[in-house]
Amino acid sequence: MNILMTAVMVVFGLAAILTVIRIVRGPSILDRAVASDVLLTEVMCVLGAEMAINGHMRSIPVLLTIAAVGVFGSIAVARFVARRDNTTS
């Protein structure tokens, strides 16, 4: 199990680093929003993998909270971009 956990953490760590780079360098706010959603999804996957490997379900409230933050954040960014597009045209 240690080898599996190490492999999972290396893959998700590399993905998180690449996602943070996209958040920092993203040319538009939509790129940054998508990258932040991807980062939240990666965190949820890491927590889910940790729960599966260790055989517990204590992190489910955390997973639900992260999912809610991701949904509400995406809605907020979409409304902001839609409002900004309406004022420029």
Side-chain angles (χ1 to χ4, degrees), residues 37-65:
D37 285 341
V38 169
L39 188 60
L40 286 175
T41 304
E42 290 171 4
V43 169
M44 289 173 49
C45 289
V46 167
L47 285 173
E50 189 271 330
M51 286 188 332
I53 289 171
N54 292 327
H56 67 82
M57 295 178 63
R58 293 184 299 265
S59 300
I60 288 181
V62 176
L63 288 173
L64 292 173
T65 304

Side-chain angles (χ1 to χ4, degrees), residues 3-58:
I3 295 171
L4 179 62
M5 190 68 164
T6 303
V8 167
M9 291 303 152
V10 166
V11 168
F12 281 118
L14 180 63
I17 290 169
L18 293 173
T19 304
V20 169
I21 290 171
R22 174 51 57 195
I23 290 172
V24 172
R25 294 183 59 197
S28 72
I29 191 167
L30 292 176
D31 291 330
R32 289 183 172 101
V34 169
S36 66
D37 285 341
V38 169
L39 188 60
L40 286 175
T41 304
E42 290 171 4
V43 169
M44 289 173 49
C45 289
V46 167
L47 285 173
E50 189 271 330
M51 286 188 332
I53 289 171
N54 292 327
H56 67 82
M57 295 178 63
R58 293 184 299 265

